[in-house]
């Protein structure tokens, strides 16, 4: 007698949200962090070059006597797709992205795994870890172990350490008026992932975008002389652009017609597949944004909570569309045209 075939496990059904849309809302997070300052480090001979002050993508410390700085970051989230191997690849690419967004190169990572051990089989966890390991290997980054806990919701990601030239960092507080803005990946990942979670439809264009490393984009930005960048993840393009403009004391003007979107993204918004994270992003940026004549769907797409999105670079990056420019600080941090 043949044993019954086990139905495929839909990982996204075991989490209350998915991917970077599960981030704590940016306004709430800033309230939590307000007034906090790191105590003076015991190793005061190791200067902190980038820390909490501007909400940049990673922390950076200088190495005395060396021409390298250490870049440190961590990122993890609930399943954004049902396939465990793809989830592992996406989560690893997303964690590595913070190092690339600072102009660094990742050198070693450790896994961060939360798993409902009495609910989901460990062979699925193995596939998640395999996806992360292979993506890190493609980035030339070692994986040296990690940490795991029993958790009601599955979560996976990495803590990543990288190296960078301290004189050639990409920061979010060095934008200057008159510089164009380039975006290296299209938007729409959040709404397509939300549609996948709701319906089971698979969007290969979204998976390909999320698993693509930001390594080449980072190298191209540095080669072009850029000094200011951030990656576009859970706070959406508008949220990350607001943070960059605020840190740099400039206004960012966005040409809405120039912003690229994944196939199917507008249809997903039209059909209502918008996450709560995206709506919270839009609420947060609204007081700081002049929306011009942008319609509701465009506003939602520009605030769409991305997972493993591209780099937003103050400067021209070969092959990436220019989506706007930085200008002198005005009444709003972001203006749509």
């Amino acid at each position: 007698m043949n044993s019954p075939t086990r139905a495929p496990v839909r990982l996204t059904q075991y989490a209350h949200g998915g991917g970077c849309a599960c981030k704590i809302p940016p306004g709430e997070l800033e309230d939590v962090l307000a007034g906090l300052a790191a105590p003076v480090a015991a190793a005061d001979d190791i200067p902190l070059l980038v820390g909490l002050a501007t909400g940049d993508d990673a922390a950076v410390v200088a190495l005395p006597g060396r021409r390298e700085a250490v870049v440190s970051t961590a990122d993890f989230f609930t399943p954004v797709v049902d396939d465990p191997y793809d989830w592992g690849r996406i989560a690893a690419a997303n964690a590595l992205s913070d190092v690339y967004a600072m102009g660094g190169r990742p050198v070693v990572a450790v896994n961060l795994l939360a798993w409902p051990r009495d609910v989901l089989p460990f062979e699925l966890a193995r596939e998640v870890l395999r996806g992360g390991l292979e993506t890190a290997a493609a980035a030339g980054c070692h994986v040296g172990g990690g940490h795991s806990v029993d958790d009601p919701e599955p979560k996976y990601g990495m803590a990543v350490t990288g190296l960078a030239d301290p004189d050639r960092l990409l920061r979010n507080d060095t934008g200057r008026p008159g510089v164009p803005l380039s975006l290296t990946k299209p938007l729409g990942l959040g709404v397509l992932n939300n549609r996948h979670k709701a319906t089971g439809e698979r969007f290969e264009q979204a998976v390909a975008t999320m698993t693509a490393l930001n390594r080449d984009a980072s190298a191209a930005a540095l080669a072009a002389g850029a000094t200011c960048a951030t990656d576009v993840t859970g706070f959406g393009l508008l949220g990350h652009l607001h943070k960059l403009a605020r840190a740099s004391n400039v206004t960012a003007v966005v040409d809405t017609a120039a912003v690229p979107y994944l196939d199917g993204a507008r249809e997903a918004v039209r059909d209502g597949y918008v996450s709560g994270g995206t709506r919270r992003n839009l609420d947060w940026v609204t007081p700081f944004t002049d929306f011009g004549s942008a319609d509701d769907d465009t506003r939602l797409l520009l605030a769409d909570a991305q997972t493993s999105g591209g780099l937003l670079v103050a400067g021209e990056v070969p092959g990436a569309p220019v989506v706007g420019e930085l200008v002198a600080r005005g009444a709003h941090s972001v203006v749509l045209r």
Side-chain angles (χ1 to χ4, degrees):
M1 179 177 178
N2 293 330
S3 58
T5 301
R6 180 191 294 172
V9 174
R10 293 203 58 210
L11 284 175
T12 56
Q13 304 308 297
Y14 290 84
H16 73 284
C20 289
C22 284
K23 280 187 173 183
I24 293 175
E28 294 178 22
L29 182 60
E30 290 195 344
D31 288 343
V32 171
L33 297 177
L36 290 179
V40 176
D44 55 7
D45 61 331
I46 302 177
L48 180 67
L49 302 180
V50 180
L52 186 62
T54 63
D56 217 325
D57 296 296
V60 183
V61 294
L63 292 177
R66 298 186 60 178
R67 297 186 61 185
E68 288 179 313
V70 173
V71 183
S72 181
T73 185
D75 211 312
F76 62 96
F77 46 67
T78 53
V80 68
V81 293
D82 290 325
D83 185 275
Y85 173 69
D86 282 344
W87 176 32
R89 295 165 65 210
I90 293 164
N94 183 75
L96 294 164
S97 179
D98 283 340
V99 175
Y100 293 131
M102 300 302 301
R105 61 182 180 90
V107 294
V108 63
V110 291
N111 290 308
L112 304 171
L113 178 69
W115 202 255
R117 51 184 292 275
D118 293 328
V119 177
L120 291 174
F122 273 118
E123 56 260 36
L124 296 181
R126 180 182 176 85
E127 282 297 286
V128 174
L129 294 171
R130 183 172 73 90
L133 183 63
E134 291 188 6
T135 294
C141 179
H142 299 289
V143 178
H147 183 66
S148 61
V149 296
D150 188 357
D151 191 296
E153 279 190 324
K155 304 175 182 72
Y156 174 65
M158 288 178 165
V160 187
T161 301
L163 296 173
D165 182 339
D167 296 323
R168 299 188 67 213
L169 294 174
L170 298 173
R171 305 171 55 128
N172 71 356
D173 62 353
T174 55
R176 298 293 179 263
V179 178
L181 290 166
S182 300
L183 181 64
T184 67
K185 286 185 183 181
L187 303 182
L189 293 165
V191 290
L192 291 179
N193 289 339
N194 211 35
R195 186 165 202 152
H196 170 69
K197 176 179 171 64
T199 68
E201 296 174 79
R202 183 175 168 88
F203 299 98
E204 297 295 343
Q205 70 275 30
V207 173
T209 298
M210 289 185 288
T211 55
L213 294 172
N214 280 326
R215 174 185 54 201
D216 293 347
S218 177
L222 289 171
T227 63
C228 179
T230 187
D231 63 351
V232 180
T233 54
F235 299 155
L237 176 64
L238 291 181
H240 289 285
L241 193 52
H242 164 60
K243 290 179 64 179
L244 184 152
R246 182 179 61 185
S248 297
N249 195 33
V250 296
T251 288
V253 179
V254 178
D255 178 0
T256 57
V259 176
Y261 299 103
L262 288 165
D263 289 344
R266 281 200 173 273
E267 291 79 4
V269 172
R270 178 200 64 199
D271 294 340
Y273 295 103
V274 179
S275 70
T278 291
R279 295 189 185 279
R280 289 189 292 271
N281 287 343
L282 187 57
D283 289 342
W284 179 57
V285 300
T286 292
F288 314 110
T289 305
D290 176 355
F291 289 101
S293 61
D295 60 30
D296 289 344
D297 286 0
T298 297
R299 297 182 188 196
L300 286 167
L301 281 168
L302 292 174
D304 189 37
Q306 305 299 280
T307 296
S308 193
L311 298 186
L312 176 67
V313 180
E316 291 195 48
V317 178
V322 171
V323 298
E325 64 176 333
L326 300 179
V327 300
R329 181 72 186 189
H332 296 87
S333 59
V334 180
V335 174
L336 305 186
R337 290 183 180 161

